Amino acid sequence: MHNKLKKYLPFALALSVAGVSATAQAASTLRMSHFWPAASGINQDIFEQWIDAVEADSNGELRVQNFPSGTLTKADDAYEGAVNGISDIAITAQGYTAGRFPLSQIVELPGVASTASQGACVLQTLYDDGQIASEYEDTHVLFMFTTGPGYIHTRDTLVEKPSDLDGLRIRRPTAVAGDILENMGASPVGMPAPDIYTSMQRGVIDGLSFPWEGMKVFRLNELAEYHTEVPFYSLIFVATMNQRSYDRLSPEQKAAIDANSGMKWADKAGAVFNGLDKAGKQAAKDAGHTIKVVENPLDDPQWQAPLKKGIEDYLSGLEERGLTQAHDVYQAALAARQSCAD
């Protein structure tokens, strides 16, 4: 019996080593979830490049599986999916989890950022300075970014003043933007970005609020021919990691993640969004669409009242909920806007 055990010991050891190796390999593979289409510039020029950088900096010890288009977790479940470990990394809009990131969403208010690069810098600055960090204590944040300003896009009606929105069903990206739309007379409708095209095609909504980038990424210039450039919000995003997934990495693997976190990638994302905004607007121009530009809307006689009301209502509402620092965070965002000027 003893000899038989000795005979099979090498096989047992080989199986044991193989099992350890398989476990190590599984631990070094991270699953990334987001809602952008695989063919989009955002996926290819931000997320795929981030994956390449992480894999290179880890000398191949880390692998990242990319799950675009909500195939691992839906857009409005993505953050919770990262918290619970359904995904190792989630990239999503904070506004898709209503009420969870109220201080962060101050960056979405009108007048905080005029471009995606500026918005990403402002948001990342507020996080790095600790102004909004408490809202993300259940995950390990990688980097943050924003869209460029969101505008109004409609199928059949040119919106020249707020009253032109009366009775129109407009898709709103977040509750914050929805309140401002309501102040301007619209009937806001909530839905994730991937659902907009079909909803507009079927007449469920009359238009939407979106930056030019989104009009290109989700092919919405095919349906909306009227555009009003009144920048009443920006949409914010976070790329974040399940805390346990980060903690179990080796020091070298953590270093690869850390080297590709923070302002470095906020800047990269902002630059990509800037380019897509330009391309989205150019596509509308090339198609012969009608574009109305509202210069300095916070000073415009027709637009300033609903926009300023939306800002103050949001900040006051946060203070009534006990977030007494709301106005201070807003002022910090405006200060960061100056230092983050393009």
Side-chain angles (χ1 to χ4, degrees):
M1 188 72 177
H2 178 70
N3 289 334
K4 287 184 178 179
L5 286 174
K6 288 176 67 178
K7 177 181 178 182
Y8 290 108
L9 185 58
F11 296 100
L13 288 172
L15 289 171
S16 177
V17 169
V20 171
S21 177
T23 301
Q25 179 63 32
S28 68
T29 300
L30 305 174
R31 295 158 300 164
M32 172 190 284
S33 174
H34 65 84
F35 63 85
W36 284 273
S40 68
I42 294 168
N43 178 62
Q44 294 180 349
D45 297 338
I46 303 175
F47 309 146
E48 287 289 346
Q49 289 194 20
W50 185 88
I51 290 170
D52 290 344
V54 167
E55 292 183 349
D57 289 349
S58 70
N59 294 316
E61 289 187 19
L62 283 176
R63 291 286 183 266
V64 182
Q65 290 179 289
N66 189 1
F67 293 86
S69 301
T71 50
L72 183 59
T73 54
K74 297 301 182 185
D76 50 359
D77 295 324
Y79 188 84
E80 194 63 31
V83 172
N84 295 330
I86 297 172
S87 63
D88 298 296
I89 299 167
I91 309 168
T92 191
Q94 286 91 320
Y96 287 174
T97 310
R100 185 163 186 161
F101 305 98
L103 294 174
S104 300
Q105 288 190 265
I106 286 173
V107 179
E108 295 183 344
L109 294 174
V112 171
S114 58
T115 66
S117 286
Q118 189 176 50
C121 178
V122 169
L123 184 62
Q124 188 69 49
T125 296
L126 293 183
Y127 179 80
D128 291 344
D129 290 350
Q131 299 276 359
I132 58 176
S134 62
E135 296 185 335
Y136 304 89
E137 290 178 344
D138 49 2
T139 62
H140 179 86
V141 170
L142 302 175
F143 60 95
M144 297 185 177
F145 55 104
T146 76
T147 64
Y151 303 123
I152 297 170
H153 311 271
T154 48
R155 288 191 64 174
D156 305 312
T157 306
L158 176 63
V159 176
E160 299 189 74
K161 54 189 182 300
S163 60
D164 292 335
L165 286 162
D166 285 345
L168 294 185
R169 297 158 298 175
I170 304 294
R171 181 266 181 181
R172 52 90 170 162
T174 66
V176 178
D179 289 342
I180 295 175
L181 276 169
E182 199 164 14
N183 289 338
M184 295 192 292
S187 298
V189 179
M191 67 180 66
D195 297 341
I196 299 173
Y197 190 98
T198 302
S199 296
M200 184 176 287
Q201 197 174 42
R202 295 176 177 174
V204 175
I205 54 176
D206 302 300
L208 67 148
S209 54
F210 236 22
W212 282 115
E213 156 271 323
M215 298 300 290
K216 177 175 176 60
V217 169
F218 295 97
R219 300 172 34 234
L220 295 165
N221 278 331
E222 296 175 8
L223 301 176
E225 297 185 13
Y226 299 93
H227 314 272
T228 304
E229 283 197 344
V230 52
F232 68 95
Y233 83 98
S234 295
L235 189 60
I236 65 171
F237 303 104
V238 60
T240 196
M241 190 169 177
N242 175 272
Q243 188 63 55
R244 295 181 301 278
S245 297
Y246 179 81
D247 290 342
R248 72 171 179 246
L249 298 179
S250 69
E252 295 77 15
Q253 291 170 337
K254 287 179 180 176
I257 294 291
D258 296 345
N260 292 283
S261 297
M263 191 64 77
K264 173 182 176 179
W265 277 90
D267 287 343
K268 288 179 181 290
V272 170
F273 271 81
N274 283 351
L276 290 170
D277 276 336
K278 292 177 182 177
K281 183 173 183 178
Q282 189 60 49
K285 286 182 176 180
D286 293 344
H289 292 183
T290 301
I291 301 173
K292 176 179 175 56
V293 178
V294 180
E295 302 287 355
N296 303 314
L298 287 174
D299 297 321
D300 185 273
Q302 294 180 310
W303 292 94
Q304 65 175 324
L307 293 177
K308 288 183 176 180
K309 183 179 187 303
I311 293 170
E312 186 53 39
D313 284 353
Y314 184 70
L315 296 176
S316 298
L318 295 189
E319 292 186 339
E320 289 172 5
R321 290 170 49 187
L323 296 170
T324 56
Q325 71 272 47
H327 277 86
D328 290 339
V329 173
Y330 178 65
Q331 291 303 318
L334 295 181
R337 170 188 168 86
Q338 299 303 315
S339 62
C340 290
D342 290 331

